[in-house]
Amino acid sequence: MRHAFGLILASFVTAIVIAGVWYFTASPHASHAATQMAAARPSEPPPAISKDAAKDGAKDDVQVTAALSGQPPAPPAPAQQKSACANPNALGVSRVVVIDTTGGPGFGFEQFKQFDFLTDKEVVLTFDDGPWPANTPAVLKALDDECVKAVFFPIGKHASYHPEILKQVLAAGHTVGSHTWSHANLNGKKMTDQLAIDELEKGFSAVKQALGAAPSPFFRFPELQHGAAAMAWLGSRNVAIFSCDADSFDFRAKDATQIINTVMTKIDKQGNGIILMHDFQKHTGEALPTLLRRLKAGGYKVVQMKAKTPLETLPEYDEMLVKEMKLPVASSRPVSSVVQTVSE
Ligand SMILES: [Zn+2]
């Protein structure tokens, strides 16, 4: 009797289990539950795949390390670097530093001793006074052949003459700051505070207009002449100021060899530093292939400097430039096309 009761109970439990399985697999409730889950997905945190996609989309193939943190530089990612560079023996970029330009930090020991972030054998390549036909493209090619990146400080007027060349500089992945509108000495006797501010802002606006994109808030004074008013203004605009550690004096070099020797002598003596050159100068483009090979042979590493945020140019200077650019076109119209005599 007890045995028969057990059988009945077992059959009853089995029937309930079967009914339960059918209910959750075949009934509309199951699909409703699945719909609910799908509907919930969009509000979930972004899937991990988006992080990979962002990484793939990033232009930089070198690990970005924080600047001014006091931390030793992280080693580069050699595998990634090689894949992006056609030259297996290239000098390459060893690390990228991102500069927070708040307050206008100064770089380059010739005038500033604020931020000593370069470690032994690290150099930063910088080029002033461009863009210029033939000479700037020669510099770009030499840098590209060695897969290195530099900081360019173009003159606003030159940028307005040759915007297509400055666009190439940016497209090649270099950092583009400014070097005033007309290369005025901002520490000169005749320089007023307002003229200095005009030179600074018009220079940045001209670079923006040429690039079609905001410049980096990086600036170098013409002739390294630091005027007090301009310094204060740059600080208020959160623009980093660049001096240098090794001046190539390429503008007065008689040939490429002299530039190479000047730079190597200074850098070997100091052990590292920001190198000042001019993409405006013909001999600089000629010197660069050998100079970069010499730096590599000497165990030097190139550090790329980037800005954390771009500079917002001032609308009044942007508008001023647009008006000035249009002026020659308007005035070039012959009088007869503007004023027509219809009756006498
Ligand atoms: Zn200059």
Side-chain angles (χ1 to χ4, degrees):
M1 184 66 191
R2 201 194 285 164
H3 184 67
F5 179 72
L7 272 174
I8 291 164
L9 186 65
S11 306
F12 184 65
V13 168
T14 305
I16 286 176
V17 167
I18 290 168
V21 167
W22 173 85
Y23 180 81
F24 280 103
T25 54
S27 78
H29 289 82
S31 59
H32 178 65
T35 309
Q36 270 184 326
M37 277 182 72
R41 267 184 202 133
S43 62
E44 287 169 4
I49 197 163
S50 70
K51 211 188 262 177
D52 294 336
K55 209 161 92 186
D56 291 344
K59 281 183 182 171
D60 297 302
D61 52 323
V62 179
Q63 188 175 357
V64 175
T65 60
L68 316 177
S69 62
Q71 297 295 317
Q80 288 182 356
Q81 205 173 324
K82 267 182 191 168
S83 67
C85 181
N87 176 3
N89 299 313
L91 173 56
V93 171
S94 69
R95 67 169 171 137
V96 181
V97 294
V98 175
I99 307 299
D100 180 348
T101 61
T102 306
F107 297 97
F109 270 48
E110 203 156 288
Q111 277 148 323
F112 304 110
K113 296 178 170 51
Q114 284 177 284
F115 300 107
D116 185 13
F117 70 97
L118 292 176
T119 62
D120 191 35
K121 296 269 180 182
E122 284 190 331
V123 296
V124 176
L125 307 171
T126 66
F127 297 91
D128 294 5
D129 294 3
W132 206 251
N135 300 350
T136 300
V139 165
L140 289 179
K141 182 177 187 312
L143 296 176
D144 192 49
D145 286 347
E146 289 295 332
C147 303
V148 288
K149 304 295 178 194
V151 184
F152 285 75
F153 296 98
I155 295 171
K157 271 190 181 177
H158 289 181
S160 70
Y161 302 156
H162 307 290
E164 72 290 348
I165 300 176
L166 197 60
K167 280 191 180 84
Q168 288 170 25
V169 175
L170 187 70
H174 303 292
T175 302
V176 182
S178 175
H179 192 47
T180 70
W181 163 246
S182 69
H183 211 263
N185 179 348
L186 300 188
N187 200 27
K189 283 178 185 169
K190 290 180 182 172
M191 183 55 60
T192 65
D193 291 1
Q194 189 57 50
L195 278 175
I197 292 166
D198 290 349
E199 274 285 331
L200 296 173
E201 293 299 341
K202 220 172 144 183
F204 276 115
S205 288
V207 170
K208 182 193 173 184
Q209 196 175 68
L211 291 176
S216 292
F218 287 2
F219 178 79
R220 181 177 269 140
F221 280 91
E223 301 165 52
L224 302 179
Q225 288 294 314
H226 299 73
M231 286 286 282
W233 183 260
L234 291 167
S236 74
R237 294 277 283 131
N238 299 320
V239 173
I241 305 160
F242 283 68
S243 178
C244 72
D245 300 307
D247 193 337
S248 66
F249 289 109
D250 53 355
F251 56 93
R252 65 183 188 205
K254 65 178 192 301
D255 56 23
T257 307
Q258 197 177 345
I259 298 169
I260 297 161
N261 290 341
T262 302
V263 171
M264 290 311 298
T265 303
K266 288 184 180 180
I267 285 295
D268 282 341
K269 192 177 169 189
Q270 292 165 201
N272 64 10
I274 297 171
I275 303 170
L276 164 56
M277 293 171 277
H278 297 83
D279 55 311
F280 181 63
Q281 299 294 329
K282 184 170 174 276
H283 292 324
T284 307
E286 295 166 352
L288 265 183
T290 307
L291 177 60
L292 296 176
R293 299 312 301 158
R294 287 275 299 274
L295 285 170
K296 177 158 171 109
Y300 292 100
K301 293 163 282 180
V302 172
V303 174
Q304 182 183 7
M305 294 179 78
K306 285 183 171 186
K308 191 177 172 188
T309 49
L311 180 81
E312 268 189 49
T313 56
L314 299 180
E316 58 264 43
Y317 288 92
D318 292 342
E319 286 161 21
M320 188 192 296
L321 267 172
V322 170
K323 278 180 192 163
E324 282 183 26
M325 298 296 175
K326 280 182 180 168
L327 209 57
V329 179
S331 62
S332 69
R333 286 175 64 193
V335 175
S336 60
S337 79
V338 180
V339 183
Q340 222 177 351
T341 304
V342 290
S343 69
E344 284 180 324

